[in-house]
Amino acid sequence: MSQPRETVAPKDGTVGRTEFTFESADGKSAVRAVLWIPAALKRAYADDDGATLGCFRPRGVVQLIHGMAEHIDRYDDFARFLAGEGYLVAGHDHIGHGWTAAADNLGMVDAETGADAMIEDANMLRTLVTAQVVAGTPYFMFGHSMGSLVLRNYLPRFGEGLAGAVICGTANQPEVVAAAGNVLARAIAKVRGADYKSKLLHSLADGAYSRAVKDARTPFDWLSRDPAVADAFMADERAGFMFSAGAYATLTALAARANSSAAYRATPHDLPLLFVAGDADPVGDCGRGVAKAAESMERAGAEDVTLRLFPGMRHEILNELGKEEVYEYILNWINLYN
């Protein structure tokens, strides 16, 4: 873990922010991570000699896992909102994304190891952050879109000890469909190389979502009804890039595993789960796929599952018109388990 780039405890009452890096499970990448720190953060002191343990005492921790073809800075507003409520917020750029990847390597992920690396990187960040807070601090995880698939794969392996998980804007393709997509992506990666950008794969995945909005002004209107969101996304040099065949193999592997009966059964049954999405989000089949995922969790034994679909909202409910309602709803749910 590298040293933070800046001091994170401002004296003017504002939320602090710092960045650091850690080694990815892929063995090749330096993962860029960000912390948003409450202004009123207190440190715990202990030991007979008065040594500083350096442990934070936030209200809780919320770790954010971002989606496909974006980066963690797009969550800055939501993170600052949570930090303003006393939560320490953490997030990172996935391999092949943001500032974890070189500009000319955006969207490139290894077909064989990418899925497990993303899951393990999320766990490494949790481990690093947990070491910095007082023992017993409630720890929540929030995953959006592809990040929700990472989270749904994470929970069966590492979910013990979490206070709750928020699954946002998730996809829920049948396991057999996602597995077929994985076979195709892996075949293309084997023939053309993992870094090959396939128009066919793009058209079958995120490219299809752009066709879901009638009379769309841009290819990214499916993200939000707010035109400024699509414009900012297209202007962002580290967002909206095409996935490589290897990255699509990773995505489809995550999707297939997430919707497997084994994953549902292995998710801790006592873990509170919140499924949130817009009911006009094509990724979640306009809420129907999200509801099926929540129902599958319940049938597998989950004891505390909440589903909330926001009327009229598209894929990025954190960037939608009326996002304040979404922020407050998620905060209130987290507060229930704090």
Side-chain angles (χ1 to χ4, degrees):
M1 178 176 176
S2 68
Q3 292 300 312
R5 297 182 184 179
E6 60 187 72
T7 302
V8 296
K11 298 179 180 180
D12 60 0
T14 61
V15 171
R17 172 178 158 140
T18 191
E19 298 182 13
F20 60 94
T21 59
F22 62 90
E23 184 178 353
S24 171
D26 73 359
K28 300 177 291 185
S29 307
V31 177
R32 176 253 195 169
V34 182
L35 294 179
W36 290 265
I37 303 179
L41 200 66
K42 297 180 180 179
R43 289 181 178 272
Y45 293 86
D47 235 349
D48 291 340
D49 62 0
T52 301
L53 292 184
C55 291
F56 295 140
R57 286 188 183 274
R59 186 176 183 179
V61 178
V62 181
Q63 181 175 331
L64 308 177
I65 309 176
H66 74 73
M68 173 184 179
E70 58 163 349
H71 52 81
I72 200 62
D73 285 6
R74 298 190 71 241
Y75 295 74
D76 185 74
D77 189 64
F78 181 56
R80 288 181 182 277
F81 168 78
L82 293 175
E85 296 293 330
Y87 288 92
L88 176 64
V89 183
H92 70 287
D93 291 336
H94 293 296
I95 52 175
H97 291 73
W99 284 264
T100 294
D104 57 354
N105 286 326
L106 290 170
M108 297 182 185
V109 182
D110 186 84
E112 301 297 329
T113 63
D116 286 327
M118 285 188 179
I119 297 164
E120 291 167 18
D121 286 350
N123 193 55
M124 177 55 70
L125 179 57
R126 177 186 175 190
T127 300
L128 293 172
V129 173
T130 298
Q132 299 301 314
V133 298
V134 173
T137 299
Y139 203 107
F140 299 87
M141 298 187 83
F142 172 104
H144 171 69
S145 195
M146 184 183 75
S148 77
L149 299 178
V150 173
L151 180 54
R152 288 169 61 186
N153 281 274
Y154 177 94
L155 296 178
R157 292 169 61 174
F158 303 113
E160 293 294 339
L162 288 177
V166 182
I167 298 167
C168 177
T170 199
N172 203 55
Q173 289 180 317
E175 183 180 3
V176 64
V177 174
N182 183 255
V183 170
L184 176 61
R186 287 165 62 92
I188 292 175
K190 185 174 182 179
V191 174
R192 304 297 297 270
D195 294 343
Y196 177 70
K197 302 290 183 72
S198 167
K199 292 181 179 179
L200 172 61
L201 292 174
H202 178 73
S203 69
L204 293 173
D206 48 323
Y209 302 137
S210 64
R211 300 190 293 271
V213 178
K214 292 183 179 179
D215 301 318
R217 184 180 63 91
T218 77
F220 295 105
D221 281 19
W222 59 277
L223 295 177
S224 171
R225 296 167 297 177
D226 185 349
V229 172
D231 291 345
F233 191 78
M234 290 188 295
D236 190 333
E237 294 182 352
R238 293 190 181 254
F241 47 85
M242 185 182 290
F243 259 22
S244 68
Y248 274 120
T250 294
L251 176 66
T252 51
L254 290 168
R257 295 184 204 174
N259 203 27
S260 68
S261 57
Y264 287 123
R265 290 195 305 269
T267 298
H269 292 177
D270 60 349
L271 176 66
L273 300 170
L274 172 61
F275 286 80
V276 289
D279 73 358
D281 176 11
V283 175
D285 193 20
C286 295
R288 292 181 290 271
V290 182
K292 287 180 181 178
E295 291 165 3
S296 295
M297 281 289 190
E298 288 187 316
R299 286 197 302 270
E303 300 166 1
D304 188 345
V305 179
T306 302
L307 170 67
R308 175 64 187 273
L309 301 176
F310 291 88
M313 292 193 178
R314 296 177 185 170
H315 186 52
E316 292 190 348
I317 59 174
L318 296 183
N319 292 320
E320 259 288 12
L321 299 172
K323 66 182 181 181
E324 296 79 10
E325 178 187 3
V326 178
Y327 284 20
E328 291 290 344
Y329 184 87
I330 294 172
L331 172 65
N332 290 337
W333 184 86
I334 289 173
N335 286 343
L336 289 174
Y337 301 96
N338 190 348

